Amino acid sequence: MTLLLRDAERAAHLQRLSSELAARFRADAARADAAGELSEASMAALKASGYPALTVPTRLGGLGATLLEVAQTQETLGSGDASAALIAAMNAHLLGSLAESGGWSQALYAEVCRASVERGALANSLASEPELGSPSRGGLPATRAEQVPGGWHVSGRKTWSTGVRALDFLVVSAATPQEQVWRFVIPSAAPGVSIQPTWSGSLSLRASGSDDVLLEEVFVPDSHAIPPTPSHPAGSAWFWTAVAATYLGVGQAALDALKAYAWERVPTALGQPIATLPKVQEAAGRMELELLAARSVLHAVCHEWSEQPGGRAALLPRLAAAKSLCTNAAVSVTDQALRVAGGAALTASLPLERLLRDARAGLTHPPSDEQALAMLGRGVLERE
């Protein structure tokens, strides 16, 4: 009974934390999107909330959230603002996956975790580059790391640096002269780090501040250099889950916005809200079913992840498929919401046009739909 009570209190705390933060995100989402800039108010709220310590292990003072809890809280944040929620997601998946996979020295991991607990510090992995594109497709980064006395000099350009102006730590991948890919944990204020504003005018996530980062002979001490480590299923699992849940929240926000509009909209010829029309009710039911199905699959696989620590690699195809299902559900639901709302959805009076644009970004995160389905299909077709 005590354990159940503790679990209920924890669930209520996480729900309250994410709901309050989502409300703060929502309050500035439209303005930040219109301005095409990172929301300082949302980032200040994020850092002050304690959410950056969500996936920090309890032994280091964090909340020690499970994969399922990250799915639940990130969906709530995504319903507030995709741009701000994605910045939170990048930090959550990085620290959560490292808790399972290791790969960093204990001292370095503890340093970053303590900063998240004590001052709401945020970290993100910077891996994409102009020529390389996403590292998920393979290839060596153009960013170079040269060994010098006491450490390394890192030089290069990184793209898609989500939330970079709010970050405290940059986890940068770079190739050594031996063509090995190392990672380097760099304070965002380190000499030689500069931000190039390249994100203005983007289709989606206009308030995510995903600008380019230039690194010019940035010195990184040996203690903050991470040599190549064997791949671990946790890296993909936590990233895919955090991304899937964030965009699922965008789809939920679209349905919520449509519901509010459907009760407010009373055409003269109808004399009652359009929410009473069977056609609108059918559309809302279809949208709800898509979200329910995607959420159920994601949560089921996340639950299995926690219950089967010995067989997690076998769950990766299903997590990849869940990511595909969730992001496509968000695209479908936002599109349907605009169709039902009609012309009003094209204006800033409703958040639907922003939600439609943001939902599209979910398709660009790895794994792509074809990769996810191929992973799942290979498992189906394996000979026993």
Side-chain angles (χ1 to χ4, degrees):
M1 182 64 70
T2 302
L3 183 60
L4 290 175
L5 181 60
R6 224 182 273 131
D7 288 346
E9 290 174 347
R10 176 183 174 80
H13 171 69
L14 292 177
Q15 181 57 47
R16 184 168 57 252
L17 171 63
S18 56
S19 295
E20 291 175 355
L21 194 51
R24 299 289 295 274
F25 287 177
R26 191 176 296 112
D28 201 38
R31 185 210 62 79
D33 177 81
E37 63 183 24
L38 190 71
S39 169
E40 293 184 6
S42 293
M43 293 301 98
L46 173 59
K47 292 191 173 192
S49 68
Y51 194 91
L54 178 72
T55 57
V56 172
T58 54
R59 62 183 173 80
L60 294 175
L63 294 172
T66 65
L67 196 64
L68 176 58
E69 289 170 335
V70 168
Q72 293 167 332
T73 56
Q74 277 299 138
E75 181 182 348
T76 301
L77 292 195
S79 71
D81 177 29
S83 290
L86 198 61
I87 296 167
M90 296 300 103
N91 182 75
H93 94 77
L94 175 66
L95 299 183
S97 64
L98 285 171
E100 290 187 7
S101 66
W104 291 18
S105 70
Q106 291 186 7
L108 178 58
Y109 180 59
E111 176 188 337
V112 175
C113 285
R114 277 197 302 269
S116 292
V117 171
E118 295 171 2
R119 53 187 174 90
L122 297 170
N124 192 5
S125 295
L126 307 189
S128 298
E129 296 181 354
E131 295 83 11
L132 178 69
S134 170
S136 65
R137 297 285 187 174
L140 280 175
T143 301
R144 310 300 295 181
E146 300 286 343
Q147 201 157 18
V148 296
W152 301 75
H153 276 160
V154 178
S155 299
R157 176 188 286 266
K158 295 295 183 180
T159 59
W160 287 86
S161 305
T162 303
V164 64
R165 296 179 192 277
L167 299 181
D168 300 272
F169 297 101
L170 316 176
V171 184
V172 175
S173 57
T176 67
Q178 294 76 32
E179 295 194 337
Q180 291 183 324
V181 179
W182 285 51
R183 288 179 295 166
F184 301 87
V185 179
I186 302 172
S188 57
V193 176
S194 61
I195 300 171
Q196 299 295 306
T198 55
W199 195 244
S200 61
S202 61
L203 173 67
S204 305
L205 305 173
R206 292 178 178 174
S208 68
S210 301
D211 293 313
D212 287 9
V213 174
L214 286 182
L215 304 119
E216 300 177 280
E217 294 195 345
V218 178
F219 176 74
V220 184
D222 286 325
S223 60
H224 285 58
I226 306 161
T229 56
S231 62
H232 191 285
S236 295
W238 285 77
F239 178 76
W240 296 345
T241 298
V243 165
T246 299
Y247 289 100
L248 193 61
V250 176
Q252 185 62 56
L255 181 54
D256 292 342
L258 176 64
K259 176 182 176 181
Y261 178 72
W263 282 108
E264 293 169 359
R265 174 65 175 146
V266 183
T268 303
L270 183 61
Q272 56 187 335
I274 63 171
T276 62
L277 293 174
K279 182 178 180 179
V280 174
Q281 293 169 352
E282 178 190 356
R286 187 179 299 111
M287 288 183 269
E288 173 73 356
L289 182 58
E290 288 190 41
L291 294 173
L292 277 173
R295 183 181 300 114
S296 297
V297 171
L298 178 62
H299 287 192
V301 186
C302 287
H303 178 72
E304 286 186 73
W305 181 269
S306 297
E307 294 296 310
Q308 300 179 21
R312 287 174 171 172
L315 294 174
L316 285 183
R318 291 169 63 186
L319 275 172
K323 181 269 174 183
S324 175
L325 192 61
C326 289
T327 51
N328 279 280
V331 171
S332 175
V333 168
T334 53
D335 178 69
Q336 291 179 68
L338 263 77
R339 291 171 185 262
V340 174
L346 304 180
T347 71
S349 62
L350 293 176
L352 292 176
E353 59 88 20
R354 169 171 53 85
L355 296 171
L356 176 75
R357 288 187 284 105
D358 284 348
R360 296 292 304 182
L363 303 178
T364 68
H365 296 284
S368 64
D369 289 344
E370 62 267 25
Q371 288 175 316
L373 293 175
M375 287 177 66
L376 190 65
R378 281 194 294 271
V380 171
L381 297 174
E382 278 184 355
R383 292 186 178 185
E384 295 184 7

